[in-house]
Amino acid sequence: MSELPFVVAVTGGIASGKSAVTVRFARLGVPVIDADLIARELVEPGEPALQAIAERFGAGVLTHTGQLDRRALRGIIFADTTARLDLEAILHPRIRSCMHERARNSDAAYVVLAIPLLTASSGYTWIDRVLVVDVAEAVQIERLMRRDGVDEASARAALAAQISRAERLALADDVIDNSGRLDDLDAQVTALHEGYLHAATSRG
């Protein structure tokens, strides 16, 4: 199809439970287009984005087999804000373009875009709704420590590298509180799904 379906972006801070939410939309038959998965596709050997990354950061970010050395690249961008912004300038427009194309080619009533790093300046002007998966920062820290086996200082540093909870909530058209039980999450996703279906079918 040539026109975009109704588009819902799902975002949230680290360890907020975004994947648990998008999995539930997928179970309801909604196509989920994941920015992280697309980013991995874009840096496969032979892809222009990988060549651009190697030109910017040097051959040290490649393994001996020509794959992206993610650990080496992370070490560079975590220590240097300019480097991180340069990486985003390489990847984000390509990710956005790919997501737009995949959404446009969907014949579903609506699609979900999983975009962990969504900000007001991300350029997704064609999104209809932004759904923020929200938990208290204390819950994020506890989950991150348990999930990744890191200490509290490392967990807090990971949170500090992202936009603030307040900034994220300011983007939201809809909010899921993911601090409770999975049954609560199921109910929230189902209610939003029905609302999105209604909005998609009544649009235009």
Side-chain angles (χ1 to χ4, degrees):
M1 66 188 289
S2 57
E3 294 184 2
L4 279 171
F6 195 81
V7 179
V8 179
V10 175
T11 192
I14 191 170
S16 61
K18 299 179 294 295
S19 295
V21 169
T22 56
V23 162
R24 281 160 175 77
F25 278 109
R27 288 176 184 165
L28 293 168
V30 182
V32 175
I33 305 169
D34 191 316
D36 284 345
L37 295 180
I38 290 174
R40 288 184 175 273
E41 294 174 18
L42 290 173
V43 295
E44 287 295 320
E47 291 293 330
L50 182 61
Q51 180 178 343
I53 289 169
E55 289 173 355
R56 165 59 180 86
F57 297 100
V61 298
L62 300 178
T63 68
H64 69 281
T65 58
Q67 304 276 345
L68 179 64
D69 186 333
R70 299 177 191 281
R71 177 173 293 185
L73 185 59
R74 279 198 301 269
I76 294 170
I77 64 172
F78 282 169
D80 184 344
T81 299
T82 299
R84 177 176 59 80
L85 293 174
D86 287 347
L87 178 64
E88 290 175 359
I90 292 169
L91 287 177
H92 287 190
R94 289 177 165 92
I95 293 170
R96 187 167 58 244
S97 176
C98 188
M99 296 187 95
H100 185 275
E101 180 181 2
R102 293 186 186 185
R104 186 172 55 81
N105 288 332
S106 173
D107 59 3
Y110 79 96
V111 298
V112 163
L113 309 184
I115 312 175
L117 301 179
L118 185 68
T119 67
S121 60
S122 291
Y124 288 86
T125 56
W126 37 276
I127 286 171
D128 294 293
R129 304 285 291 185
V130 175
L131 170 59
V132 170
V133 183
D134 183 55
V135 295
E137 289 184 359
V139 176
Q140 285 180 273
I141 290 168
E142 188 275 330
R143 287 179 179 173
L144 192 57
M145 291 170 64
R146 184 174 67 243
R147 186 189 77 185
D148 294 355
V150 298
D151 60 19
E152 183 176 344
S154 298
R156 289 189 180 279
L159 261 67
Q162 300 189 327
I163 65 171
S164 70
R165 184 185 184 191
E167 288 174 292
R168 193 176 297 110
L169 288 171
L171 299 173
D173 297 299
D174 305 297
V175 177
I176 279 183
D177 177 1
N178 194 26
S179 58
R181 303 174 306 166
L182 290 179
D183 287 349
D184 298 332
L185 190 58
D186 290 335
Q188 291 182 83
V189 171
T190 298
L192 285 165
H193 173 61
E194 292 172 356
Y196 296 150
L197 280 176
H198 176 75
T201 54
S202 61
R203 184 174 64 169

